[in-house]
Amino acid sequence: MWSQQERSPRPASRRPPTTGQSRPRTAQSRPWTGQSRISTARPQTSASTRYEGSFVIALLEGRGVGREVGLAALDSDIGRVVLVQLSDCQTYVKTLHQMHLHNPSLVLVPDTFLSASDAVIGSSNKRATNPSLLVEFIREEFPDIQLEPVPRKYWNETSGLEFIQQLCVEDEERAAIILAVSSKYYVLSACSALFKHAELRRNTRFSAGSLRIQYSPVDGTMMIDPESARNLELVGNMSHRKSYHSVFGILNHTYTAMAARLLRVNILAPITVQSSIDARLDVVEEFVQDEDLFNEVRGALKTLNNMDFDKLIATLAALETVLPTSAKAASNRVTQMLNLRNVVRNLPLLQKALENTKSQLLRIIHEMLSDDRLGKIDSLIRASLNEDTTPTKHGISAANARVYAVKANYNRLLDVARETYKENVGDIYTLCNTLTQAHEIPLTLVYQETGFIFSLKKSDLEGELPKGFINVTLKKGKWQFSSMELKKMNARMQDALDETLILSDKIIQDLVTEILMNVGALYKASEAVALVDMLWAFAHSAIIRPEFTGTLAVKSGRHPILETVQSAGTLVPNDIYCDDSSSFQIIQGPNMSGKSTYLRQVGLLSVMAMCGSFVPAEYASFRIHDALLTRLSNDDDLEKSLSTFASEMATSAMILGLATERSLVIVDELGRGTSPREGFGISHAIAEGLIEQKCFVFFATHFAELSTTLSRQPSVVKYVAWRTSRSVSNFGMTFQYKIVDGAPEDNTHYGLDLARLADLPSDVLTEANRVSKRLTELQTRHQEQSDSSKIAMRRKALLKLRTNLTQAFEHSALPDEELVAYIGRFQADITKVFLYSNDTD
Ligand SMILES: Nc1ncnc2c1ncn2[C@@H]1O[C@H](COP(=O)(O)OP(=O)(O)OP(=O)(O)O)[C@@H](O)[C@H]1O
């Protein structure tokens, strides 16, 4: 229940910077293996299963016109707070996108946002008659996540700022973060509710200066609406939740949990700052070209396998609110300290591996790992902990590691408690030997959480167990049991064990306090490791380094997920070309000819490139997009009981509302949910809307007339799925389509194709073909001779000229003479177009 007691945040200390950016560089990769290293196998580490966070997200929306939303997210397990304030649209797609980035486990909203039926004890009575629209969208998008109302009084701007000032790690970025959020009313209020909730409902408080608080301006990343992320299978497979066939799955060769988390967030919100992307690409390229470096870094990362520094630091920093310390909490803290010791001990390996690297970002990472404070932490740990205790997960050796974690002679009482523990364990082993001899059965001891039990192989027991043994069970071919005496001894041993842990914990807590003075260095190291681990994973599957020229041009690109699924040689590569003069691309072709795959490929390759990853192609150049918006066919629509039509319209409205000149829009088969005539009309209208926005659009459609009705628009081009060869078995076909420019004349007769497959007589087919060709010729001619089509032709040519000239001047590295010849060729082309369109007048 919400307590009325107000508690103010506690006094503060420090925090780490994120990595800086480096200069752009363009180069082609020369992978030393000569081919793709994208593996079809499950990634080598288990980091993939541990990336999911458990953020509690507090949300506040302004009631004004602008739909300003403040979002504060806290993952106390990893000591991270993310703050965002944004202006959203009617569908709250940006807010939902941000929520997806942080995997919510609980969502907090002001109680006034919920309707009276959502009453919760202790909250205010002021309830809206209807829940806020934002709440409805959240419920729809996250049906399994609990929404908890927080009394309106806790959404307080001033207290939000106080929390931030007191809990934020003290480092170079702290001042900038405080400055950035200090004028953001909604995010500050959300922050206050978030920490009040942690204090009052979860009984969690944080040490001063122990949290990494990050303010994320939304314009530094590409917005991908949640529906698109799902349909494109960015972080999860649509059909099988556990499948690795997603972009995340194929790229996640990370070793540490922090890197897996970083990768997930980057895939869902790729960066839009070109210098940052180039800096990452430089690193990937250096790994690709320098095999020794690649292997050395792998070796260093292996020593940190499965580590989650953030979690480790956060657990150590979390204050024990129930006093006195429980043995369980003490045991946890001792284990975490042993893990921290291993991390601090192994970090120098990575630092050494990066010693002579060339790329600027790797040098920055090296610097972050060379922080003197890490050495200080190492010395502090060495002074208190035994060198040779290794934390293991289970068994008596795990208990012993905790008991002997702290050095001897540190505390007399601890030494005495350890002796008692040792004697108790010795007594248990003696009992086991005695019983073995007395009953002539080879008993062994197994240590479980509650103490020891006896174990005996089933085959070693003839007849029944001797009397006196209790709690007998049979597990995996072994008898397991106890005795009253063993139970008593276990209890004595457990008491001694708990005492050693509680006494050790006092020393560990002092150590933690000293370490926390330098927690900024640890968080910084965590960020450095996460980044280098993620970029190393990119290098693991690198193929070709992408460039960012503003033109989307891919030669022989492959769908990155399909490539890992299909057997070698069965994937047909496709080219992509899209610039300002061809920004609206109509894609047509028969069913099952790869249109959807092509569209998805465009989106996925752009996402990968903007994360700083190499892409599967022979050459690739991209534009940096502010948003990736899609309307892709989705079977879920039915489950959501939305009609296809309603869903299409809702998504189209969202796309039209959000798309800008810098967006990438992908639309697959719009207008399926209504009559063909209406469907065509709607598709045309939406296409015109998108053309006006000047974004890059890939528009797959069955409406062949669309290319005619849109032909006056100079930026519209048409691509078709063109059959290169095929093998037939009744109606079956092996895949042999390629997306090509324009409309090769006979390929548009998809019905004839099917008729041929259905074995219609050849003379019927020949005649059908002849008539069909003739009709098409007449139609084409008629179109070409119309005035509007001549004007459109000239407009197209002019737009193409402008785009090519801009490209030539801004991105070409050609020497002057060649540039002049290149421009001369444009001139000739455009003259031809003008002469032709005049001739036909
Ligand atoms: N480039 C390719 N190389 C090999 N196989 C491909 C390629 N593109 C698509 N495929 C395979 O062909 C099948 C059909 O692909 P896709 O769904 O993209 O076709 P489509 O034209 O969109 O079909 P429809 O019009 O019926 O929706 C899929 O099984 C896909 O895996």
Side-chain angles (χ1 to χ4, degrees), residues 240-271:
H240 306 287
R241 276 200 70 210
K242 288 192 175 163
S243 162
Y244 285 91
H245 294 138
S246 64
V247 177
F248 178 81
I250 57 161
L251 290 177
N252 187 22
H253 295 275
T254 60
Y255 282 96
T256 61
M258 308 87 73
R261 277 197 296 273
L262 182 68
L263 175 63
R264 180 181 179 278
V265 170
N266 269 275
I267 291 172
L268 288 174
I271 47 177

Side-chain angles (χ1 to χ4, degrees), residues 724-785:
T724 49
S725 66
R726 64 188 171 174
S727 86
V728 182
S729 66
N730 293 328
F731 276 95
M733 229 189 207
T734 59
F735 189 88
Q736 287 296 329
Y737 286 90
K738 203 170 169 68
I739 307 289
V740 296
D741 195 354
E745 51 187 50
D746 77 340
N747 202 48
T748 45
H749 309 308
Y750 310 134
L752 291 180
D753 268 352
L754 284 175
R756 200 169 290 127
L757 285 173
D759 287 340
L760 278 187
S762 65
D763 51 340
V764 175
L765 279 172
T766 315
E767 181 57 9
N769 233 334
R770 193 189 65 75
V771 172
S772 177
K773 264 188 193 168
R774 181 70 190 133
L775 284 173
T776 312
E777 272 167 25
L778 287 173
Q779 195 184 358
T780 314
R781 212 184 169 136
H782 176 73
Q783 274 169 20
E784 279 181 2
Q785 283 174 357

Side-chain angles (χ1 to χ4, degrees), residues 562 566 570-572 574 590-597 702 735:
L562 203 58
Q566 302 229 153
T570 59
L571 202 71
V572 178
N574 272 308
N591 288 341
M592 298 294 283
S593 59
K595 303 182 295 296
S596 304
T597 307
H702 271 113
F735 189 88

